[in-house]
Amino acid sequence: MSTPATARESVPLTSDWLFHLGDLPESTVLASPADGGGWEKVALPHNWNRMGGTAKRRTDYQNVKGASWYRRQFATPADLADQRLWIEFDAASVVADVWVNGKHLGQHKGAFAGFRFDATPALAADGVNELVVKVDNSSPREKGSPTADVIPMNGDWPMYGGLYRPARLVVTSPVRIAMEDFGGPGVYASTLSVTDGTARIRVLTRLENDRSNAASGTLRTRIVDAAGQTVARAQTPFALAAAKGATAQAEREAVLELSGAHLWQGVDDPYLYTVEVDLCDARGRVLDTVTQPLGVRTLRIDPETGFWLNGRHVALHGVSRHQDRPGKGWAITPADIAQDTAFIREIGANTVRLAHYQHAQEAYREMDAAGMVVWAEIPLVDRSAPWYSDTTTEAFAANAAQQLRELIRQDYNHPSIAVWSIANEVNLEAAKGRGTSNARPLLERLQAIVHAEDPLRPATLADCCGTIAEENRPGLDSVAGITDVIGLNRYHGWYGNSVDFLGPDLDRTHARFPQQPISISEYGAGGALSQHTDDPAGGPIAAFGRPHPEEFQSQLLEDSWKQIAARPYIWASWVWNLFDFSNELRLEGDLTDTNDKGLVTFDRKTRKDAFYFFKANWSKEATLHLTERRHTARPYPVVDVKAYANTGTVSLSLNGRALGEATCETGVCRWPGVTLAPGENRLEARGTRAGVAVSDAVTWNFEGRAGEYHIRAGTLEEARGASGVLWGSDVFSKGGEGHWRDQPSKGRGAEPGPVRPVLGTDDQAAYGSWREGDFAYAIPVPSGRYTLRLHFFEPDAAVAPGARRFTVRSEGREVAKVDVRREAGAAWTALTRTVTTRVEDGTLDLEFRSGTGKAIVSGIEVIPAP
């Protein structure tokens, strides 16, 4: 009779890997020398792509798609008799094939879940083994691609390739807690109820037997508190049949009563127990041990009142997170994850959407310890079918089901996870007119899997399009009502519409689906550190291009949050995104290959202004932040000053002169119409919260003089003129519609095209945009005489002389009749009209009134007369 094994052992496989970028014939790799023939030496985690986070494309940019190879040697552990040796990977992107000593152990399809293969039959007799891994991140769009049926088909992020999470050898007994369970731990604990302080904890353990004879013994299950004391225990007998051609399997369940249960209460008290399960043979010897986290908690989500944790209502507000970093891609470390968690804690979030795929185990452990309520999901994104098919194929559906089961089983024991998401914007491609959407059958199948795997947590999905008047979009089916709860991705004010449409849209959707709890799974806007506007309402935003002024991001998020916070039926909301992240199709804001919707920069070095808006609303820590600290060169003498604070009131001074105290509403404190002095201006703000004094200061440099303005009409973008004058973005305007001169690129991800110049001028700063229609300006200036230089050009070559005639009024008096096309002589040709005016009341009032055709202006200069 063989000697029973002891509890499992784990040996890291992180160092001494050899790597070859690009594909090689399988036969060549498997037959090549152990040293890899000049392959690069690497360590795990490792991936081979690098992109994003820089203004120009990175000098080390790499976006290779396809197969690459890894290999290393390992020694067979001593005393392996009557034991099993497993190769375990925490992730490989996207498809991984694994060989040991030339024997193919198996293939895993999916970039984000852990997986294992039993290497025992392939081990070398001499104890030295050659491990080879082929990893393939080919595009699923390519005909015959190995990823053609592997989700995701698409997404707003790159599919990095590589062994980007750790790997290890795991030694177990042939009689063990399950290793072949979709990568799960084999032990699954859940809180059935909490009554009068006593919790009923169900622990399900899955067992396996690879021996040729039956096995029996006892499962010893313990709940251990944070101090290391056993507080509940159970013993359960088990019996396993003999393995006959396949591993024998069984399940055993224990229900433990935990009196005086210390609840996992989110960020207020994220108390954690552990569950320990020992598998003992008939003689009481421990064959295997598994330890898992346990948070004792109950939850429910109500369509009217939102989220309830342990019978207490919790207003959930938080952020979403992608896992990549500049230079590292997905090959991040526990320290990186801990740093991200610190940002989440700092902003005051109590919930996190870990999007759009399964994250590292360390991320879920961090969320458990931080008390975050987590939305976990699989990467079923944009499409419900492979690119080669208009409908869901069985291979595609099976892979989505596999990845969902992997997510649930591998992460089941994390108390932070509240919902399992089965899809994100699954009919986006159909909404764009690229085929039809028939997502419902697949989503219903996945919903059933969630209910079977975990009846205590609801299923959800994030919808972009299926709840927006789908009856008016042929080929677009509704996805509402399939899952228990739902998230809405809503970018009103960014991708069209006005931000003010958000609240009515939420109310309409709530009225249409009154029994389905609604969350906001995404809302946000891009924000560039080096791009600024003097008025976020001054012109249109180029959502898929440039610029993305930081001030626009802040204003849109302020307006969005006010509408979300006012609706208690919204059970949670998540800002998209906490950090900027990489995307090889984006040339937006001031970055390349980057989505700049983060509240923090990709490199984690800079918190954008909007970060502090949410901190002022969510955090209990005293917060005070003066905004626009990077908008240091100021074009205008009169500005609005804004701070984000949770101190109730804030006092402000300018160059040592008190400007008064502002009351902060929804975390926003304002001082309108502050007059800057020429040159350097230092603003200092002070406030107090619960006896804690906080302060902040910024320094701006006003480049002009009192009463002087150089306004680019209809745009959010500032520009430096040929003479060095700083032209500001549109400000102090009302009415009309803004236009930029040329789209920044011909399409999403395209390089910006050449800008068509306006002829007849050496300075293009005044002609980069225009305002059109009936509109007016109310510009604050000291009383006195002013010279007005008004700049025009006709942007429509089809407009004939006389077809666009309008008037300009200053201080209620008509000062000009303008026919741009006739006076300039041609379209796209500069015209400047100069008039004088006198202001007596501190405000220069300009009106542009349409006549034959719409009024128009591209630049306005206000110059104090000598």
Side-chain angles (χ1 to χ4, degrees):
M1 180 177 177
S2 59
T3 302
T6 58
R8 68 178 62 182
E9 298 177 2
S10 180
V11 179
L13 292 177
T14 53
S15 60
D16 301 322
W17 286 88
L18 299 173
F19 172 69
H20 182 276
L21 180 64
D23 203 4
L24 293 169
E26 176 185 318
S27 58
T28 300
V29 176
L30 297 180
S32 64
D35 65 5
W39 291 19
E40 178 187 2
K41 187 174 182 178
V42 300
L44 304 189
H46 174 266
N47 60 209
W48 62 74
N49 302 105
R50 291 179 298 276
M51 65 189 71
T54 53
K56 300 288 186 180
R57 178 156 281 174
R58 304 177 63 94
T59 56
D60 61 348
Y61 174 85
Q62 187 164 273
N63 192 19
V64 173
K65 300 288 187 182
S68 291
W69 293 82
Y70 294 84
R71 70 188 310 156
R72 62 158 290 164
Q73 292 183 332
F74 68 91
T76 302
D79 301 324
L80 196 63
D82 196 32
Q83 293 182 320
R84 312 297 291 187
L85 179 68
W86 304 79
I87 311 289
E88 182 175 76
F89 297 90
D90 287 348
S93 181
V94 173
V95 176
D97 286 271
V98 181
W99 292 262
V100 169
N101 299 325
K103 179 178 177 61
H104 187 242
L105 302 186
Q107 182 183 75
H108 181 263
K109 293 184 175 183
F112 306 105
F115 58 95
R116 310 175 180 116
F117 294 120
D118 185 356
T120 312
L123 296 178
D126 64 3
V128 178
N129 304 279
E130 186 78 11
L131 170 61
V132 174
V133 186
K134 177 183 178 181
V135 184
D136 197 321
N137 72 332
S138 296
S139 169
R141 294 173 181 257
E142 298 170 3
K143 186 176 181 180
S145 171
T147 65
D149 289 290
V150 181
I151 63 171
M153 293 293 99
N154 207 26
D156 191 17
W157 77 91
M159 292 297 290
Y160 289 93
L163 297 176
Y164 69 91
R165 290 181 189 153
R168 64 196 59 82
L169 303 176
V170 181
V171 180
T172 71
S173 166
V175 181
R176 60 185 175 268
I177 296 170
M179 291 289 285
E180 300 178 270
D181 193 28
F182 290 94
V187 173
Y188 306 95
S190 52
T191 304
L192 298 178
S193 64
V194 180
T195 305
D196 297 329
T198 297
R200 295 179 67 246
I201 308 298
R202 173 181 179 264
V203 180
L204 174 70
T205 303
R206 294 191 170 103
L207 307 174
E208 296 171 347
N209 181 20
D210 278 328
R211 285 183 181 155
S212 58
N213 56 298
S216 62
T218 302
L219 283 176
R220 296 201 304 241
T221 303
R222 298 182 302 279
I223 297 177
V224 180
D225 67 14
Q229 299 299 310
T230 298
V231 291
R233 65 177 74 238
Q235 290 199 156
T236 309
F238 75 86
L240 277 163
K244 295 182 179 179
T247 301
Q249 298 176 328
E251 292 183 356
R252 289 295 181 270
E253 178 181 309
V255 176
L256 293 79
E257 289 200 352
L258 176 59
S259 60
H262 192 152
L263 302 184
W264 187 89
Q265 195 62 56
V267 295
D268 291 339
D269 186 9
Y271 188 87
L272 291 170
Y273 294 91
T274 56
V275 172
E276 297 179 359
V277 178
D278 291 334
L279 175 66
C280 304
D281 68 9
R283 297 170 60 185
R285 292 174 296 183
V286 177
L287 303 181
D288 201 0
T289 298
V290 168
T291 300
Q292 287 291 293
L294 170 66
V296 179
R297 56 103 179 103
T298 61
L299 61 87
R300 68 182 178 92
I301 305 176
D302 185 88
E304 292 296 334
T305 60
F307 185 82
W308 294 76
L309 178 64
N310 301 322
R312 292 167 50 185
H313 179 261
V314 180
L316 292 180
H317 45 256
V319 293
S320 299
R321 173 188 179 264
H322 265 299
Q323 67 181 359
D324 61 333
R325 293 229 172 182
K328 293 183 176 182
W330 290 346
I332 60 175
T333 66
D336 295 328
I337 296 171
Q339 184 188 34
D340 285 1
T341 306
F343 278 103
I344 295 167
R345 289 174 182 267
E346 180 189 348
I347 203 173
N350 58 10
T351 182
V352 177
R353 183 181 180 203
L354 294 178
H356 288 295
Y357 39 75
Q358 184 173 337
H359 286 231
Q361 279 293 314
E362 188 63 31
Y364 299 105
R365 285 192 288 266
E366 286 276 354
M367 297 303 102
D368 292 343
M372 297 296 154
V373 175
V374 169
W375 165 307
E377 67 187 12
I378 60 169
L380 181 60
V381 178
D382 289 5
R383 288 177 60 89
S384 57
W387 287 102
Y388 65 81
S389 174
D390 289 333
T391 58
T392 305
T393 63
E394 177 53 32
F396 182 95
N399 183 258
Q402 168 207 310
Q403 293 200 45
L404 180 58
R405 285 194 172 93
E406 289 172 332
L407 172 71
I408 295 174
R409 296 200 189 180
Q410 293 175 28
D411 301 310
Y412 186 96
N413 294 310
H414 293 291
S416 56
I417 296 176
V419 292
W420 304 112
S421 176
I422 62 175
N424 177 78
E425 300 187 353
V426 73
N427 49 16
L428 179 61
E429 288 295 314
K432 293 178 178 179
R434 300 169 184 163
T436 60
S437 172
N438 186 29
R440 182 170 285 271
L442 175 59
L443 295 176
E444 289 175 342
R445 176 174 172 177
L446 298 177
Q447 160 86 342
I449 290 173
V450 172
H451 285 178
E453 293 283 335
D454 186 0
L456 298 180
R457 289 184 179 103
T460 190
L461 59 80
D463 173 62
C464 66
C465 323
T467 57
I468 304 179
E470 62 273 4
E471 64 273 10
N472 298 323
R473 299 189 183 195
L476 182 65
D477 61 334
S478 172
V479 300
I482 296 174
T483 51
D484 307 296
V485 301
I486 196 170
L488 307 178
N489 294 353
R490 293 294 184 261
Y491 290 95
H492 296 303
W494 184 251
Y495 297 128
N497 297 326
S498 163
V499 67
D500 296 331
F501 189 66
L502 175 60
D505 178 28
L506 297 176
D507 292 341
R508 178 188 67 84
T509 305
H510 180 49
R512 290 185 63 203
F513 307 102
Q515 300 306 312
Q516 184 167 52
I518 293 172
S519 67
I520 309 300
S521 37
E522 292 181 24
Y523 67 105
L529 296 185
S530 66
Q531 295 169 347
H532 301 285
T533 184
D534 305 284
D535 181 359
I541 190 68
F544 290 113
R546 312 180 193 273
H548 286 177
E550 185 179 6
E551 294 77 17
F552 187 96
Q553 180 191 48
S554 298
Q555 187 64 55
L556 186 142
L557 290 172
E558 288 177 34
D559 294 340
S560 297
W561 172 246
K562 290 174 186 177
Q563 297 174 77
I564 294 169
R567 288 165 168 80
Y569 63 80
I570 299 298
W571 64 266
S573 62
W574 294 273
V575 181
W576 188 262
N577 196 283
L578 180 55
F579 306 106
D580 293 345
F581 57 94
S582 58
N583 182 298
E584 69 266 48
L585 295 179
R586 288 186 182 264
L587 296 171
E588 299 174 6
D590 57 2
L591 299 172
T592 297
D593 300 320
T594 308
N595 186 316
D596 66 345
K597 292 189 184 71
L599 304 177
V600 180
T601 53
F602 194 16
D603 59 11
R604 277 63 171 173
K605 291 182 178 179
T606 306
R607 297 160 180 80
K608 303 178 189 179
D609 281 345
F611 179 94
Y612 293 96
F613 167 70
F614 289 109
K615 184 175 180 180
N617 279 277
W618 298 346
S619 177
K620 297 177 182 178
E621 176 187 348
T623 300
L624 172 57
H625 173 83
L626 283 167
T627 67
E628 301 185 53
R629 61 205 319 103
R630 283 165 286 277
H631 190 188
T632 54
R634 309 299 298 208
Y636 299 141
V638 178
V639 299
D640 292 345
V641 178
K642 182 170 67 176
Y644 295 140
N646 57 9
T647 57
T649 60
V650 173
S651 61
L652 183 71
S653 66
L654 172 63
N655 297 327
R657 177 173 57 88
L659 296 181
E661 190 174 73
T663 299
C664 308
E665 298 180 3
T666 323
V668 181
C669 331
R670 300 181 188 275
W671 296 265
V674 173
T675 300
L676 301 180
E680 185 173 286
N681 292 262
R682 182 170 175 80
L683 291 156
E684 296 183 81
R686 300 182 185 278
T688 302
R689 176 183 171 92
V692 177
V694 285
S695 62
D696 195 22
V698 297
T699 300
W700 295 339
N701 186 61
F702 171 44
E703 298 192 2
R705 53 182 173 146
E708 181 174 306
Y709 292 85
H710 305 271
I711 301 172
R712 306 179 78 220
T715 184
L716 298 175
E717 191 172 16
E718 299 176 343
R720 185 73 65 176
S723 64
V725 171
L726 180 61
W727 286 72
S729 62
D730 205 344
V731 69
F732 307 124
S733 63
K734 182 178 181 179
E737 185 176 4
H739 302 268
W740 50 72
R741 182 170 57 185
D742 282 292
Q743 290 283 355
S745 63
K746 300 301 180 183
R748 180 177 177 181
E751 290 288 348
V755 176
R756 180 178 180 180
V758 171
L759 303 178
T761 178
D762 294 329
D763 193 341
Q764 297 291 311
Y767 303 97
S769 57
W770 67 91
R771 183 166 291 277
E772 186 177 46
D774 290 303
F775 53 94
Y777 285 81
I779 304 171
V781 294
S783 297
R785 292 180 64 251
Y786 290 88
T787 298
L788 307 182
R789 287 200 291 265
L790 307 178
H791 300 270
F792 311 92
F793 74 97
E794 176 52 65
D796 187 351
V799 171
R804 188 198 295 270
R805 292 181 296 171
F806 56 92
T807 59
V808 181
R809 299 175 66 83
S810 174
E811 296 296 283
R813 180 176 63 88
E814 183 177 296
V815 294
K817 292 181 181 293
V818 185
D819 183 339
V820 178
R821 176 67 174 78
R822 186 184 303 280
E823 295 178 55
W828 287 85
T829 301
L831 170 68
T832 300
R833 295 283 293 271
T834 302
V835 299
T836 59
T837 191
R838 174 171 287 278
V839 177
E840 302 291 349
D841 59 358
T843 302
L844 170 60
D845 292 308
L846 289 175
E847 295 179 77
F848 294 78
R849 295 184 177 180
S850 299
T852 304
K854 296 179 180 180
I856 193 172
V857 70
S858 59
I860 300 171
E861 293 185 88
V862 181
I863 310 297

PDB file of all heavy atoms in Angstrom, residues 26-46:
ATOM      1  N   GLU A  26       5.773  24.282 -34.289  1.00  0.00           N
ATOM      2  CA  GLU A  26       5.677  23.525 -33.042  1.00  0.00           C
ATOM      3  C   GLU A  26       6.757  22.455 -32.940  1.00  0.00           C
ATOM      4  O   GLU A  26       7.392  22.293 -31.888  1.00  0.00           O
ATOM      5  CB  GLU A  26       4.293  22.891 -32.944  1.00  0.00           C
ATOM      6  CG  GLU A  26       4.079  22.005 -31.746  1.00  0.00           C
ATOM      7  CD  GLU A  26       2.725  21.328 -31.778  1.00  0.00           C
ATOM      8  OE1 GLU A  26       1.732  21.996 -32.136  1.00  0.00           O
ATOM      9  OE2 GLU A  26       2.652  20.121 -31.472  1.00  0.00           O
ATOM     10  N   SER A  27       6.970  21.751 -34.024  1.00  0.00           N
ATOM     11  CA  SER A  27       7.963  20.670 -34.005  1.00  0.00           C
ATOM     12  C   SER A  27       9.355  21.214 -33.722  1.00  0.00           C
ATOM     13  O   SER A  27      10.158  20.581 -33.022  1.00  0.00           O
ATOM     14  CB  SER A  27       7.952  19.930 -35.344  1.00  0.00           C
ATOM     15  OG  SER A  27       8.224  20.824 -36.415  1.00  0.00           O
ATOM     16  N   THR A  28       9.656  22.403 -34.252  1.00  0.00           N
ATOM     17  CA  THR A  28      10.969  23.009 -34.020  1.00  0.00           C
ATOM     18  C   THR A  28      11.150  23.359 -32.549  1.00  0.00           C
ATOM     19  O   THR A  28      12.203  23.097 -31.952  1.00  0.00           O
ATOM     20  CB  THR A  28      11.128  24.267 -34.881  1.00  0.00           C
ATOM     21  OG1 THR A  28      11.008  23.913 -36.262  1.00  0.00           O
ATOM     22  CG2 THR A  28      12.476  24.925 -34.646  1.00  0.00           C
ATOM     23  N   VAL A  29      10.121  23.953 -31.948  1.00  0.00           N
ATOM     24  CA  VAL A  29      10.222  24.353 -30.548  1.00  0.00           C
ATOM     25  C   VAL A  29      10.365  23.139 -29.645  1.00  0.00           C
ATOM     26  O   VAL A  29      11.228  23.102 -28.757  1.00  0.00           O
ATOM     27  CB  VAL A  29       8.991  25.185 -30.142  1.00  0.00           C
ATOM     28  CG1 VAL A  29       9.042  25.513 -28.649  1.00  0.00           C
ATOM     29  CG2 VAL A  29       8.928  26.466 -30.953  1.00  0.00           C
ATOM     30  N   LEU A  30       9.555  22.136 -29.868  1.00  0.00           N
ATOM     31  CA  LEU A  30       9.571  20.984 -28.976  1.00  0.00           C
ATOM     32  C   LEU A  30      10.845  20.164 -29.113  1.00  0.00           C
ATOM     33  O   LEU A  30      11.253  19.475 -28.166  1.00  0.00           O
ATOM     34  CB  LEU A  30       8.344  20.104 -29.237  1.00  0.00           C
ATOM     35  CG  LEU A  30       6.989  20.763 -28.950  1.00  0.00           C
ATOM     36  CD1 LEU A  30       5.864  19.795 -29.236  1.00  0.00           C
ATOM     37  CD2 LEU A  30       6.920  21.257 -27.518  1.00  0.00           C
ATOM     38  N   ALA A  31      11.493  20.266 -30.270  1.00  0.00           N
ATOM     39  CA  ALA A  31      12.719  19.498 -30.483  1.00  0.00           C
ATOM     40  C   ALA A  31      13.980  20.305 -30.232  1.00  0.00           C
ATOM     41  O   ALA A  31      15.088  19.764 -30.276  1.00  0.00           O
ATOM     42  CB  ALA A  31      12.745  18.965 -31.920  1.00  0.00           C
ATOM     43  N   SER A  32      13.833  21.619 -29.966  1.00  0.00           N
ATOM     44  CA  SER A  32      15.004  22.483 -29.839  1.00  0.00           C
ATOM     45  C   SER A  32      15.679  22.282 -28.492  1.00  0.00           C
ATOM     46  O   SER A  32      15.091  21.746 -27.556  1.00  0.00           O
ATOM     47  CB  SER A  32      14.588  23.946 -29.994  1.00  0.00           C
ATOM     48  OG  SER A  32      13.719  24.313 -28.955  1.00  0.00           O
ATOM     49  N   PRO A  33      16.928  22.729 -28.353  1.00  0.00           N
ATOM     50  CA  PRO A  33      17.663  22.570 -27.084  1.00  0.00           C
ATOM     51  C   PRO A  33      16.956  23.290 -25.939  1.00  0.00           C
ATOM     52  O   PRO A  33      16.212  24.245 -26.131  1.00  0.00           O
ATOM     53  CB  PRO A  33      19.024  23.203 -27.385  1.00  0.00           C
ATOM     54  CG  PRO A  33      19.138  23.185 -28.879  1.00  0.00           C
ATOM     55  CD  PRO A  33      17.742  23.336 -29.398  1.00  0.00           C
ATOM     56  N   ALA A  34      17.280  22.840 -24.766  1.00  0.00           N
ATOM     57  CA  ALA A  34      16.631  23.379 -23.577  1.00  0.00           C
ATOM     58  C   ALA A  34      16.937  24.848 -23.363  1.00  0.00           C
ATOM     59  O   ALA A  34      16.178  25.560 -22.719  1.00  0.00           O
ATOM     60  CB  ALA A  34      17.042  22.574 -22.354  1.00  0.00           C
ATOM     61  N   ASP A  35      18.082  25.345 -23.889  1.00  0.00           N
ATOM     62  CA  ASP A  35      18.421  26.744 -23.661  1.00  0.00           C
ATOM     63  C   ASP A  35      17.640  27.687 -24.569  1.00  0.00           C
ATOM     64  O   ASP A  35      17.765  28.897 -24.470  1.00  0.00           O
ATOM     65  CB  ASP A  35      19.923  26.982 -23.809  1.00  0.00           C
ATOM     66  CG  ASP A  35      20.403  26.732 -25.247  1.00  0.00           C
ATOM     67  OD1 ASP A  35      19.573  26.465 -26.137  1.00  0.00           O
ATOM     68  OD2 ASP A  35      21.621  26.807 -25.457  1.00  0.00           O
ATOM     69  N   GLY A  36      16.829  27.144 -25.468  1.00  0.00           N
ATOM     70  CA  GLY A  36      15.976  27.974 -26.303  1.00  0.00           C
ATOM     71  C   GLY A  36      16.677  28.589 -27.490  1.00  0.00           C
ATOM     72  O   GLY A  36      16.064  29.321 -28.250  1.00  0.00           O
ATOM     73  N   GLY A  37      17.937  28.341 -27.679  1.00  0.00           N
ATOM     74  CA  GLY A  37      18.624  28.846 -28.862  1.00  0.00           C
ATOM     75  C   GLY A  37      18.621  30.350 -28.989  1.00  0.00           C
ATOM     76  O   GLY A  37      18.326  30.892 -30.050  1.00  0.00           O
ATOM     77  N   GLY A  38      18.983  31.047 -27.919  1.00  0.00           N
ATOM     78  CA  GLY A  38      19.068  32.504 -27.996  1.00  0.00           C
ATOM     79  C   GLY A  38      17.787  33.219 -27.637  1.00  0.00           C
ATOM     80  O   GLY A  38      17.678  34.429 -27.884  1.00  0.00           O
ATOM     81  N   TRP A  39      16.835  32.546 -27.067  1.00  0.00           N
ATOM     82  CA  TRP A  39      15.610  33.208 -26.637  1.00  0.00           C
ATOM     83  C   TRP A  39      15.908  34.204 -25.512  1.00  0.00           C
ATOM     84  O   TRP A  39      16.902  34.077 -24.800  1.00  0.00           O
ATOM     85  CB  TRP A  39      14.589  32.190 -26.152  1.00  0.00           C
ATOM     86  CG  TRP A  39      14.000  31.307 -27.233  1.00  0.00           C
ATOM     87  CD1 TRP A  39      14.500  31.071 -28.481  1.00  0.00           C
ATOM     88  CD2 TRP A  39      12.807  30.532 -27.129  1.00  0.00           C
ATOM     89  NE1 TRP A  39      13.694  30.200 -29.164  1.00  0.00           N
ATOM     90  CE2 TRP A  39      12.637  29.851 -28.344  1.00  0.00           C
ATOM     91  CE3 TRP A  39      11.870  30.332 -26.118  1.00  0.00           C
ATOM     92  CZ2 TRP A  39      11.570  28.996 -28.593  1.00  0.00           C
ATOM     93  CZ3 TRP A  39      10.804  29.488 -26.358  1.00  0.00           C
ATOM     94  CH2 TRP A  39      10.648  28.832 -27.592  1.00  0.00           C
ATOM     95  N   GLU A  40      15.014  35.178 -25.350  1.00  0.00           N
ATOM     96  CA  GLU A  40      15.163  36.198 -24.313  1.00  0.00           C
ATOM     97  C   GLU A  40      14.803  35.620 -22.950  1.00  0.00           C
ATOM     98  O   GLU A  40      13.807  34.913 -22.799  1.00  0.00           O
ATOM     99  CB  GLU A  40      14.241  37.373 -24.634  1.00  0.00           C
ATOM    100  CG  GLU A  40      14.253  38.487 -23.605  1.00  0.00           C
ATOM    101  CD  GLU A  40      13.202  39.545 -23.881  1.00  0.00           C
ATOM    102  OE1 GLU A  40      12.439  39.402 -24.857  1.00  0.00           O
ATOM    103  OE2 GLU A  40      13.145  40.524 -23.101  1.00  0.00           O
ATOM    104  N   LYS A  41      15.597  35.958 -21.942  1.00  0.00           N
ATOM    105  CA  LYS A  41      15.300  35.518 -20.585  1.00  0.00           C
ATOM    106  C   LYS A  41      14.329  36.507 -19.946  1.00  0.00           C
ATOM    107  O   LYS A  41      14.580  37.714 -19.917  1.00  0.00           O
ATOM    108  CB  LYS A  41      16.569  35.421 -19.749  1.00  0.00           C
ATOM    109  CG  LYS A  41      16.344  34.802 -18.380  1.00  0.00           C
ATOM    110  CD  LYS A  41      17.662  34.581 -17.635  1.00  0.00           C
ATOM    111  CE  LYS A  41      17.428  33.918 -16.284  1.00  0.00           C
ATOM    112  NZ  LYS A  41      18.698  33.653 -15.563  1.00  0.00           N
ATOM    113  N   VAL A  42      13.210  35.999 -19.421  1.00  0.00           N
ATOM    114  CA  VAL A  42      12.185  36.856 -18.833  1.00  0.00           C
ATOM    115  C   VAL A  42      11.702  36.233 -17.529  1.00  0.00           C
ATOM    116  O   VAL A  42      11.980  35.073 -17.228  1.00  0.00           O
ATOM    117  CB  VAL A  42      10.987  37.066 -19.780  1.00  0.00           C
ATOM    118  CG1 VAL A  42      11.425  37.713 -21.087  1.00  0.00           C
ATOM    119  CG2 VAL A  42      10.251  35.756 -20.040  1.00  0.00           C
ATOM    120  N   ALA A  43      10.955  37.016 -16.766  1.00  0.00           N
ATOM    121  CA  ALA A  43      10.306  36.550 -15.540  1.00  0.00           C
ATOM    122  C   ALA A  43       8.827  36.855 -15.630  1.00  0.00           C
ATOM    123  O   ALA A  43       8.402  37.782 -16.349  1.00  0.00           O
ATOM    124  CB  ALA A  43      10.926  37.223 -14.315  1.00  0.00           C
ATOM    125  N   LEU A  44       8.045  36.078 -14.926  1.00  0.00           N
ATOM    126  CA  LEU A  44       6.610  36.329 -14.861  1.00  0.00           C
ATOM    127  C   LEU A  44       6.317  37.223 -13.654  1.00  0.00           C
ATOM    128  O   LEU A  44       6.981  37.112 -12.626  1.00  0.00           O
ATOM    129  CB  LEU A  44       5.839  35.013 -14.724  1.00  0.00           C
ATOM    130  CG  LEU A  44       6.080  33.940 -15.783  1.00  0.00           C
ATOM    131  CD1 LEU A  44       5.067  32.808 -15.607  1.00  0.00           C
ATOM    132  CD2 LEU A  44       6.042  34.487 -17.186  1.00  0.00           C
ATOM    133  N   PRO A  45       5.341  38.131 -13.800  1.00  0.00           N
ATOM    134  CA  PRO A  45       4.434  38.305 -14.937  1.00  0.00           C
ATOM    135  C   PRO A  45       5.119  38.982 -16.124  1.00  0.00           C
ATOM    136  O   PRO A  45       5.994  39.821 -15.947  1.00  0.00           O
ATOM    137  CB  PRO A  45       3.326  39.175 -14.359  1.00  0.00           C
ATOM    138  CG  PRO A  45       3.990  39.957 -13.260  1.00  0.00           C
ATOM    139  CD  PRO A  45       4.995  39.028 -12.672  1.00  0.00           C
ATOM    140  N   HIS A  46       4.671  38.611 -17.333  1.00  0.00           N
ATOM    141  CA  HIS A  46       5.298  39.112 -18.552  1.00  0.00           C
ATOM    142  C   HIS A  46       4.264  39.216 -19.658  1.00  0.00           C
ATOM    143  O   HIS A  46       3.413  38.337 -19.819  1.00  0.00           O
ATOM    144  CB  HIS A  46       6.416  38.154 -18.995  1.00  0.00           C
ATOM    145  CG  HIS A  46       7.027  38.506 -20.321  1.00  0.00           C
ATOM    146  ND1 HIS A  46       6.597  37.951 -21.507  1.00  0.00           N
ATOM    147  CD2 HIS A  46       8.039  39.351 -20.641  1.00  0.00           C
ATOM    148  CE1 HIS A  46       7.325  38.438 -22.497  1.00  0.00           C
ATOM    149  NE2 HIS A  46       8.201  39.297 -21.988  1.00  0.00           N
TER     150      HIS A  46
END
